[in-house]
Amino acid sequence: IYIQRGNTNVPAPSAASTLSLTPRDASIEASWTNSEDPESVGTLLVSNPTHEPQDITDGTTVDVAEATSYTLTDLPNDKPTYISLFSYNADKSKYSAAKSDVEIPREVTWYDVQEDLEADIVDAQEKAE
């Protein structure tokens, strides 16, 4: 029996890190820090409405190149959206998973805006005293 494996001495590009997700009305703003690995030349953002993306074909993929933020739009409110980042090398033959997270976008209502304004007014008054 012969067991063959790939060359384990060739690492995948290091992953992007510090993924931050900001939910907005029907969208999510994703921002991150790119890998400092010289082999990593870009990043793919993969989103999926049902589960955490495990690879670059496991959802809707956007090549964000060397950007450090991207806003996913037209998302359904009150439904989860799972997001993963994958760093890739120059010929896109190797990928490295970053961090995955989930956020639930929700509608920003007039009530929410009023609550925020009232809280800001109270904070300002307390600081003035």
Side-chain angles (χ1 to χ4, degrees):
I1 298 174
Y2 292 95
I3 300 174
Q4 297 180 330
R5 347 189 298 183
N7 182 354
T8 56
N9 294 323
V10 182
S14 297
S17 62
T18 323
L19 175 62
S20 171
L21 301 175
T22 306
R24 304 196 187 287
D25 182 25
S27 68
I28 294 177
E29 179 186 339
S31 56
W32 58 90
T33 302
N34 282 326
S35 167
E36 293 183 12
D37 185 334
E39 190 171 352
S40 176
V41 299
T43 305
L44 296 172
L45 185 144
V46 183
S47 62
N48 191 306
T50 60
H51 62 275
E52 178 181 314
Q54 300 300 308
D55 60 47
I56 62 166
T57 61
D58 193 15
T60 303
T61 302
V62 179
D63 188 343
V64 293
E66 295 181 17
T68 56
S69 67
Y70 185 82
T71 300
L72 293 156
T73 57
D74 299 324
L75 300 174
N77 282 316
D78 301 324
K79 303 274 186 206
T81 297
Y82 298 84
I83 296 174
S84 293
L85 293 175
F86 296 88
S87 294
Y88 59 82
N89 66 346
D91 63 2
K92 292 189 178 180
S93 62
K94 291 185 282 184
Y95 298 89
S96 178
K99 183 181 172 187
S100 182
D101 212 337
V102 59
E103 286 289 345
I104 301 174
R106 66 181 182 88
E107 297 233 17
V108 177
T109 64
W110 175 247
Y111 176 80
D112 293 331
V113 174
Q114 288 299 104
E115 284 287 297
D116 289 344
L117 287 174
E118 289 171 12
D120 289 345
I121 291 169
V122 169
D123 286 345
Q125 288 173 340
E126 287 174 356
K127 288 178 183 174
E129 292 175 355

